[in-house]
Amino acid sequence: MKRYFAVLLGILTAIGGFVDIGDLVTNAQVGARLGMSLVWVVVLGVVGICVFAEMSGRIAAVSHRATFDLVRERLGPGMGLLNLVGSMLVTMLTFIAEIGGVALALQLVSSLHHLLIVPFVAVAVWIVLWRAKFSAIENVLGLMGLALIAFAVALWQLGPDWGELVSGLSPAEKPGAESWATYAFFGVALFGAAMTPYEVFFFSSGGVEERWTSKDLGVMRANVFIGFPLGGLLSVAIAGCAATLFLPQGIAVETLGQVGLPVAVALGKVGLAVVVLGFFAATFGAACETGLSTGYSLAQYFGFPWGKFVRPKEAAGFHIILLVTTVIAAGVLLTGVDPIMVTEISVVFSAVALPLTYFPILVVANDPDYLGEHVNGRLANALGVFYLVVLTVAALAAIPLMVVTSMGQG
Amino acid sequence: MGSLAEREGYDVGLHLLDRQIIGSDDRLIGKVDDVELLLDDDGSLVPTALLVGLPALLPRFGRHLGARLSGAHRLVRAAAADQALPLVVGFDIVDDVSSEVRLSEPAYGLLHRMSHERAQDPRRCRVGSLLGTPVRCDALPRRSKVLDLRLVGAPGQPGEHRVTALLVGPGRPGALFGYDRSSEPGPAVVAAVIQWLHRHARVVELGPGVDVDHEAGEVRIGPEASLEPLRG
């Protein structure tokens, strides 16, 4: 019974924890401008993150190595440092965006300007990172994040023409007003948001934190293969809501309030309250995950003790990094930069950083020295190689598309 | 997971560098930032210590960037005489080399600074400086370098760890990603690409005809040394 409960809890937190500010904003923007014609990219991204999260989780369970250990062990110090700098920039941008997202969510209920809320959010995030237990962070915020299911309910209540919505899934249904370059730009952004590297840093480091062994492989796979796709469905529901409400009116999504508006329209005040709770949990949870990921990456690259499974005193360097990154994130937000714009930039740059993170995972997942009998099978390898090609194309295309489309404005 | 050292020897660059060092009390000590080798008079190469810390790591970033980073690191505390010296873990307390390096002693207070005399000993060199050293050999392409060092030796057994062979060829040290070692490397596409890129790489046993000249910064391989393909 306890075992089933653990599996269920894992799946539920994986669903609730899957969506972060990048998914919220990008899916709503894409739904409003391009309808359902990019849902296939969400599917592609979700399958991709499942493939690599399972590999990194398996490596963490069997050999107790987190992802950034592997990055340095396989790429060496030089390429590893390049990856470290790239991923730190992306994770830092995401961390800033998530803290900004929490502040924006609280602005929706308090009507205070989000800049006034940012310092309090930053302090709260730091206290949680310092004091709270790893499992508590994951479970409480993951379960609260399930409130985002309100988007699925809202989509049903909005009563779209389902036939039209489904036929809109084809890329050929791209609205004529948008160019193919814009379409490709948002495709890359959605892909970057779904496969953002901090997810595997956090997932694998979490596996080491929770002391997974090869006995936990089943639970880990259930979390990944059931939880992540259901989380992906929430992403699609967000896009569907925006496509139903905003696309016919030609309204662009520019604020977090607009992302939640379809729920308010469909479900009224209660729906809005639920979805704001969902925003808060999703962004706060992801702020903790990205904050921890900056500490994990640096500590694993340089080789000093890390994690919440040792006492803060024993991982002083790790906790100093967490404190410094939180202060930097709050500082950047206090300059008045728009968190939504930071989010847009972070998902594009995460697409650039993808190959250097996922390549070493694929190589080590085939190495019997790490995994013994648990090395990749044919399917995992075929998918891994396929995604390596897709990741490389997305990484190369990201910056040119960003320039050509002026961040999707053109 | 069996110990690498027990199975068929191991490669310094692939299996030892950048791995975690764990004490007998299960505590993380650090990463293997570099490995110190002793060049014996008879031409043999014996690993003597694992080096830890930025003074060991930074020189590995290449001749130009590495020198600049090391210089910058010295300036952080220019008054300290030992700022440029790495921390040392003696190779005699290495208990096992698997996907981590496990020591026979607890972590607490284990690391100590390398002495100045030891740092200046001409018979000692670092793996990081040996990898990428140009190789002069008529049978190999001109751009060939030392790609990795192959070691034998099982901890706690008679005989010590020593370098038995060099992996040489054109390319970048570390870019083989272990695809020269395992018999059924996957994914097949990645393995094929990496093996094709390293099709000129060879293994050469240390012995007659192989001269590791650390001072001149090159390795000379004469016609009497035998060059074997990577696998087989």
Side-chain angles (χ1 to χ4, degrees):
Chain A
M1 188 62 204
K2 207 173 168 189
R3 185 114 182 127
Y4 289 114
F5 181 71
V7 174
L8 184 67
L9 185 67
I11 292 173
L12 290 177
T13 54
I15 300 170
F18 184 82
V19 176
D20 72 347
I21 187 84
D23 298 297
L24 287 170
V25 171
T26 319
N27 279 292
Q29 283 181 333
V30 167
R33 283 185 64 171
L34 297 158
M36 302 299 276
S37 59
L38 272 170
V39 166
W40 65 273
V41 176
V42 177
V43 176
L44 188 74
V46 170
V47 174
I49 193 70
C50 286
V51 168
F52 284 101
E54 192 272 339
M55 281 187 216
S56 70
R58 183 152 35 96
I59 295 167
V62 178
S63 75
H64 312 296
R65 286 289 168 285
T67 298
F68 234 94
D69 284 326
L70 309 178
V71 167
R72 191 174 146 193
E73 286 171 15
R74 279 305 143 117
L75 296 182
M79 290 298 275
L81 186 72
L82 190 67
N83 188 0
L84 181 73
V85 172
S87 337
M88 281 294 289
L89 279 176
V90 174
T91 310
M92 203 53 217
L93 279 178
T94 318
F95 186 44
I96 294 167
E98 306 288 355
I99 290 187
V102 180
L104 289 177
L106 292 175
Q107 181 180 6
L108 292 178
V109 286
S110 67
S111 300
L112 279 175
H113 193 277
H114 75 268
L115 284 184
L116 292 172
I117 309 174
V118 163
F120 297 97
V121 176
V123 170
V125 166
W126 176 69
I127 289 176
V128 168
L129 293 182
W130 186 39
R131 300 299 301 186
K133 269 193 180 159
F134 183 85
S135 54
I137 300 177
E138 202 182 18
N139 294 340
V140 172
L141 293 167
L143 289 178
M144 273 164 70
L146 286 175
L148 291 176
I149 290 175
F151 275 104
V153 181
L155 183 59
W156 169 56
Q157 282 290 311
L158 282 173
D161 182 339
W162 292 101
E164 200 177 303
L165 210 59
V166 171
S167 67
L169 291 175
S170 154
E173 295 297 317
K174 170 185 74 77
E178 304 288 354
S179 70
W180 282 109
T182 310
Y183 183 82
F185 171 77
F186 279 110
V188 168
L190 270 182
F191 191 66
M195 289 203 70
T196 178
Y198 87 80
E199 291 178 32
V200 288
F201 298 151
F202 178 74
F203 189 69
S204 63
S205 305
V208 178
E209 294 251 33
E210 294 187 320
R211 300 180 192 280
W212 288 350
T213 63
S214 36
K215 282 184 196 147
D216 297 309
L217 285 177
V219 179
M220 182 275 288
R221 289 194 173 122
N223 291 353
V224 171
F225 293 134
I226 302 174
F228 284 18
L230 289 176
L233 270 186
L234 287 184
S235 295
V236 174
I238 295 167
C241 281
T244 307
L245 196 66
F246 298 131
L247 183 62
Q249 316 289 333
I251 301 170
V253 172
E254 275 151 14
T255 65
L256 191 63
Q258 280 176 299
V259 177
L261 192 59
V263 182
V265 171
L267 304 175
K269 267 188 195 168
V270 177
L272 187 64
V274 171
V275 93
V276 170
L277 178 72
F279 284 163
F280 172 79
T283 49
F284 200 94
C288 294
E289 293 179 10
T290 44
L292 284 171
S293 292
T294 58
Y296 289 148
S297 314
L298 274 170
Q300 287 162 12
Y301 179 86
F302 286 105
F304 50 84
W306 54 271
K308 304 213 31 83
F309 60 108
V310 290
R311 274 169 296 176
K313 206 166 67 178
E314 290 165 22
F318 174 75
H319 283 277
I320 288 171
I321 293 169
L322 297 187
L323 179 60
V324 171
T325 48
T326 313
V327 170
I328 293 176
V332 170
L333 283 166
L334 288 177
T335 62
V337 65
D338 178 14
I340 301 292
M341 194 190 75
V342 177
T343 309
E344 291 167 10
I345 297 173
S346 77
V347 293
V348 177
F349 278 97
S350 89
V352 179
L354 293 174
L356 277 179
T357 301
Y358 290 113
F359 176 67
I361 296 179
L362 179 63
V363 171
V364 171
N366 278 285
D367 191 335
D369 291 336
Y370 286 85
L371 284 168
E373 56 179 325
H374 297 290
V375 289
N376 271 1
R378 279 165 190 266
L379 180 65
N381 272 340
L383 285 170
V385 171
F386 168 74
Y387 272 99
L388 216 53
V389 175
V390 177
L391 292 170
T392 312
V393 172
L396 293 175
I399 302 226
L401 281 173
M402 191 168 90
V403 174
V404 168
T405 65
S406 318
M407 297 272 311
Q409 304 296 316
Chain B
M1 270 186 305
S3 155
L4 293 163
E6 285 164 9
R7 262 195 272 153
E8 43 173 334
Y10 56 97
D11 293 349
V12 180
L14 180 66
H15 294 129
L16 203 54
L17 283 181
D18 302 313
R19 297 292 171 115
Q20 291 183 2
I21 309 174
I22 311 279
S24 62
D25 51 355
D26 283 335
R27 290 206 181 184
L28 176 66
I29 294 171
K31 294 254 182 188
V32 181
D33 289 318
D34 211 336
V35 177
E36 184 194 60
L37 296 172
L38 188 66
L39 280 155
D40 250 345
D41 297 334
D42 59 355
S44 68
L45 280 168
V46 179
T48 44
L50 308 176
L51 306 180
V52 180
L54 290 178
L57 175 65
L58 296 179
R60 288 180 57 209
F61 284 98
R63 204 185 315 160
H64 301 293
L65 182 63
R68 275 177 173 237
L69 290 174
S70 304
H73 178 249
R74 279 184 82 119
L75 287 178
V76 171
R77 208 167 44 151
D82 61 356
Q83 181 72 2
L85 297 171
L87 296 161
V88 177
V89 178
F91 216 85
D92 50 331
I93 60 167
V94 171
D95 198 28
D96 192 17
V97 181
S98 61
S99 69
E100 66 201 16
V101 180
R102 197 160 269 279
L103 304 182
S104 57
E105 288 183 18
Y108 189 77
L110 185 77
L111 296 172
H112 59 90
R113 286 267 165 221
M114 181 183 271
S115 67
H116 284 280
E117 300 78 56
R118 185 168 179 172
Q120 281 152 10
D121 185 347
R123 294 188 309 144
R124 293 176 195 269
C125 67
R126 293 184 189 178
V127 167
S129 69
L130 210 52
L131 295 179
T133 303
V135 173
R136 306 266 168 262
C137 174
D138 295 335
L140 286 170
R142 278 203 309 169
R143 291 168 295 111
S144 293
K145 303 179 192 116
V146 177
L147 299 180
D148 213 335
L149 311 175
R150 196 153 278 182
L151 255 76
V152 293
Q157 302 207 349
E160 54 188 349
H161 295 252
R162 61 190 168 80
V163 178
T164 56
L166 307 177
L167 267 68
V168 292
R172 197 175 65 83
L176 271 162
F177 298 109
Y179 280 101
D180 55 318
R181 299 285 307 189
S182 82
S183 52
E184 294 170 13
V189 185
V190 178
V193 169
I194 289 174
Q195 281 163 0
W196 180 80
L197 287 173
H198 289 87
R199 62 198 179 283
H200 297 300
R202 296 287 181 270
V203 180
V204 56
E205 299 274 330
L206 276 189
V210 181
D211 180 17
V212 179
D213 190 342
H214 186 243
E215 276 170 44
E218 65 174 26
V219 173
R220 289 179 292 271
I221 300 176
E224 61 269 46
S226 69
L227 296 166
E228 303 288 334
L230 284 187
R231 285 197 300 141

